[in-house]
């Protein structure tokens, strides 16, 4: 959302990564014009490349600099100097600027229709300006009720425009203040929504509060604001916030806690600045004080940590200990069943279906009849699906009510298809209530089912798993199904692995690959990779003989071109639809063969611009009707969660809203909240967990070597249902297959289970 026209200029803080930007030179020149379009805009630094229509010239001028906020249609007064870029030609390097009210009808129309005001898009702007001409902005400022004179604008729309215009005035002050203290104005609207007219007061008094309250603003930004406001880098206030921040960073790597010595070391390194070096003893003393204040939990270390203390954020400690306690209670008493009767039912079921259970599968079904908690694990082709379906049939025959769930919408949909019964996401099963920011289903109000099955359990992180176990009724049964060789959860913990490692939870591990699965090279290669062997790959041709292909593209530029060729030529020839069937999975976001670049490439190939497709550009990224997107964070109010995939089905520039169709329903996003989603023609392998795609393309390069590992490419490969295509050099694929990078996550769930169950 753009700010109102401002009369006071302020220096653009230049992006240090771009040379040639500095203080105004003595030969500084002035330039004025209307922004026609943005070529590039960084939300993080404000660095912008735009095209400007200057008076008395027919050619557009390229302007380069850092802008607090910039929209097509704005009239800008610029100060700076001309320079010749060796590649892009003449550019105007902006050092200082101010925004002025548009002076022409065309400028006013562009300005109003740029997304400045909710309720006014290009069509409405054209009508308003056609009616009021050059007086348009004056009318909106002082006589806004007159907008009803414009055909098609009713009183309800006028009130919406008035509210948005008034908010702009307040937001302008907030944005100017934040820009002056190092905050990207991308978050100005969110800050204003959070704090309203108190925004500046709160930010001035306690900038670290932003890291807690406003998504997208972390400790780093809050710390920069604090420095600009003159807060002492050695203040206890900063240290406390820094300690919590380091623990939060550790949770992003999957850790549930840190050993105290490691926490202190990380904090000292994290909070060190040029003019200040924290004292480790002071940090250690403060962690003890924070434990007394309830901000941390310190626990005596086990032998694993040589007796030292370990440090938790309280919610992590509560979730880990609580889950161990609840599982212990569930495991205390198995159900009494007539096992011979169960065995006779299995015989009749297999005879009726004409399908036989292996000894391992049969054991799993028999155990499911009586065990309160059971883990079923195994790789692709080992029959987890058929075993699960048989267990569902058994429980149904026993007269039990059954609830099915999976961590993602796609996985839940697949679970529903394979069992013929309704399956929900775990969040929906637990019935999240946005008004209380908590699940309705818990220990006092458990899930109304005798048996609960959760598929893709390797994706469960500590908090979701704890909430799930909390909501299992005291007499109910829980079956967790998953593949421990996949990547662990994106969130903290290693739930499935810890449950198995505890040796206190009954586990059936399926190892036999069935004959029909052996014909699939996807399945065969998944097992080869798990053994550290190079997969057997067929070079891509127009008539492939297997379902696992390879393009030997030695360098990243060759890989990008190879992916283009596959999308344009091979995919249609094989009868697939790129928009519906293909997913590109990458080890990382950055780089030429990272998701960020490939999304731009694939968007142009699969969903190019067209007259009948609405689109909008924000932060240098274009979103278009028909684009596949991914949810980047858990949004409990909208009930969409990290990793959910959807498709943009509508864009409304007047209401400043984007509608996204997910598996279960359509969700509305305000423009201000679009940093929650991103293009998903290409996503990371981590984000693909729990999903399956007809065709998977896997670019694997040594530039990803820090992330390359056996379970990474195993996870990516096993997302493919019908066809997998590796792109990259043999060296990188082989390196990944050999690398075992099961990063040790700091968790104690397994030990807590062992201790709780072994205690008298």
């Amino acid at each position: 959302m753009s700010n109102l026209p401002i009369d006071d200029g302020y220096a653009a803080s230049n992006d240090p990564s771009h040379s040639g930007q500095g203080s105004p030179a003595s030969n500084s020149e002035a330039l004025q014009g209307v922004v026609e379009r943005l070529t590039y805009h960084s939300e993080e630094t404000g660095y912008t490349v735009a095209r400007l229509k200057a008076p008395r010239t027919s050619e557009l001028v390229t302007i380069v600099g850092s802008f607090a906020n910039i929209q097509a249609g704005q009239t800008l007064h610029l100060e700076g100097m001309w320079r010749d870029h060796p590649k892009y030609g003449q550019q105007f390097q902006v050092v200082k600027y101010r925004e002025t009210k548009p002076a022409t009808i065309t400028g006013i129309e562009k300005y109003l229709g740029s997304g400045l005001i909710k309720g006014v898009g290009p069509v409405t702007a054209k009508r308003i300006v056609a009616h009021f001409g050059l007086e348009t902005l004056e009318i909106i400022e002082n006589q806004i009720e007159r907008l009803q004179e414009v055909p098609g604008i009713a009183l309800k729309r006028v009130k919406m425009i008035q509210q948005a215009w008034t908010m702009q005035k307040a937001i302008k002050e907030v944005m100017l203040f934040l820009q002056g203290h190092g905050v990207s104005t991308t978050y100005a609207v969110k800050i204003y929504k959070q704090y309203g007219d108190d925004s500046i007061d709160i930010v001035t008094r306690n900038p670290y509060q932003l890291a807690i309250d406003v998504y997208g603003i972390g400790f780093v930004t809050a710390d920069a604001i604090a420095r600009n406001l003159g807060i002492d880098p050695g203040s206890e206030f900063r240290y406390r916030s820094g300690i919590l921040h380091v623990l939060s960073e550790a949770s992003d790597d999957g850790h549930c806690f840190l050993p105290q010595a490691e926490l202190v070391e990380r904090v000292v390194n994290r909070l060190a600045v040029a003019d200040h070096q924290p004292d480790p003893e002071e940090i250690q003393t403060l962690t003890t004080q924070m434990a007394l204040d309830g901000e941390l939990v310190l626990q005596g270390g086990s032998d694993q940590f040589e007796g030292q203390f370990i440090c938790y954020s309280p919610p992590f400690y509560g979730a880990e200990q609580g889950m161990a306690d609840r599982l212990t209670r569930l495991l205390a008493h198995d159900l009494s069943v007539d096992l011979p009767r169960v065995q006779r039912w299995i015989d009749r079921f297999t005879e009726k279906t004409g399908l036989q259970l292996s000894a391992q599968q049969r054991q799993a079904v028999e155990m499911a009849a009586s065990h309160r908690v059971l883990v079923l694990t195994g790789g692709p082709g080992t029959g987890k699906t058929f075993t699960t379906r048989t267990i569902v049939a058994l429980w149904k025959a026993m007269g039990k009510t059954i609830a099915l769930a999976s961590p993602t919408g796609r996985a839940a949909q697949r679970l529903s298809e394979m069992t013929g019964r309704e399956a929900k996401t775990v969040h929906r099963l637990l019935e999240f209530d946005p008004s209380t920011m908590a699940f309705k289903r818990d220990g006092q109000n458990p899930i109304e089912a005798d048996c609960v099955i959760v598929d893709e359990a390797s994706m469960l992180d500590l908090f979701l798993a704890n909430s799930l176990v909390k909501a299992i009724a005291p007499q109910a049964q829980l079956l967790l199904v998953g593949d421990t060789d996949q990547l662990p959860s994106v969130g903290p913990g290693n739930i499935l692995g810890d449950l198995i490692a505890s040796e206190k939870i009954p586990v059936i591990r399926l190892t036999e690959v069935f004959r029909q699965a052996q014909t699939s090279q996807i399945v065969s290669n998944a097992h080869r990779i798990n053994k550290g062997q190079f997969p057997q790959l067929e070079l891509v041709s127009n008539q492939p003989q297997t379902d696992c292909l390879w393009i030997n593209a030695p360098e990243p530029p060759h890989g990008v071109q190879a992916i283009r060729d596959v999308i344009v030529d091979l995919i249609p020839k094989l009868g697939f639809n790129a928009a519906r069937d293909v997913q590109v999975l990458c080890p990382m976001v950055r780089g030429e063969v990272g998701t960020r670049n490939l999304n731009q490439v694939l968007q142009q190939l699969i969903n190019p611009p067209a007259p009948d497709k609405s689109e909008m550009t924000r932060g240098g990224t274009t979103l278009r009707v028909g684009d596949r997107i991914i949810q980047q964070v858990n949004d409990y109010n909208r009930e969409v969660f990290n990793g959910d995939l959807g498709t943009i089905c509508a864009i409304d520039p007047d209401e400043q809203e984007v509608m996204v169709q997910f598996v279960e329903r359509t969700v509305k996003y305000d423009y201000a909240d679009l940093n929650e989603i991103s293009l998903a023609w290409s996503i990371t392998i981590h984000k693909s967990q729990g999903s399956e795609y007809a065709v998977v393309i896997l670019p694997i390069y040594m530039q990803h070597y820090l992330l390359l590992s056996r379970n990474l490419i195993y996870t990516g490969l096993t997302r493919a249902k019908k066809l997998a295509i590796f792109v990259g050099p043999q060296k990188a694929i082989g390196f990944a297959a050999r690398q075992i990078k099961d990063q040790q996550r700091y968790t104690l769930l397994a030990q807590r289970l062992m201790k709780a169950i072994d205690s008298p």
Side-chain angles (χ1 to χ4, degrees), residues 478-653:
L478 173 63
L479 172 64
L480 298 174
V481 184
D483 184 349
T484 55
D485 291 319
Q486 289 186 28
L487 291 166
S489 60
V490 174
N494 184 22
I495 299 303
L496 191 61
D498 283 351
L499 295 183
I500 295 172
S502 75
E503 298 184 349
K504 300 301 179 182
I505 307 290
V507 176
I508 294 295
R509 186 184 295 273
L510 304 178
T511 57
E512 180 183 344
V513 179
F514 286 88
R515 187 178 305 164
Q516 59 269 32
Q518 292 174 357
T519 62
S520 167
Q521 282 294 90
I522 292 173
V523 172
S524 299
N525 280 328
H527 289 280
R528 285 191 188 91
I529 288 169
N530 258 348
K531 297 174 183 176
Q533 299 171 358
F534 192 89
Q536 292 183 1
L537 303 172
E538 176 189 347
L539 287 171
V540 162
S541 66
N542 289 331
Q543 294 181 317
Q545 303 302 305
T546 71
D547 58 4
C548 208
L549 309 179
W550 174 38
I551 300 176
N552 186 14
E555 299 294 336
H558 306 134
V560 174
Q561 185 57 50
I563 292 171
R564 280 197 182 100
D565 294 341
V566 165
I567 295 294
V568 173
D569 298 325
L570 183 64
I571 293 302
K573 286 178 182 176
L574 297 180
F576 295 110
N577 180 294
R580 183 186 63 239
D581 300 326
V582 177
Q583 183 64 62
V584 178
L585 301 179
C586 303
M588 64 191 301
V589 173
R590 297 178 179 176
E592 199 163 1
V593 282
T595 61
R596 188 175 295 149
N597 180 57
L598 286 176
N599 266 317
Q600 305 301 318
V601 173
L602 294 166
Q603 183 189 48
Q604 290 302 308
L605 290 176
I606 300 173
N607 190 37
D612 61 339
K613 290 181 187 175
S614 298
E615 64 177 52
M616 57 85 63
T617 300
R618 191 173 182 83
T621 298
T622 297
L623 297 177
R624 185 175 297 130
V625 169
D627 274 337
R628 186 186 303 159
I629 63 92
I630 188 168
Q631 177 75 15
Q632 299 280 41
V633 296
N634 289 335
D635 187 329
Y636 293 102
N637 290 307
R638 293 185 175 88
E639 293 186 72
V640 287
F641 304 99
N642 191 356
D644 285 354
L645 290 174
T647 303
I648 295 176
C649 54
I651 297 175
D652 188 334

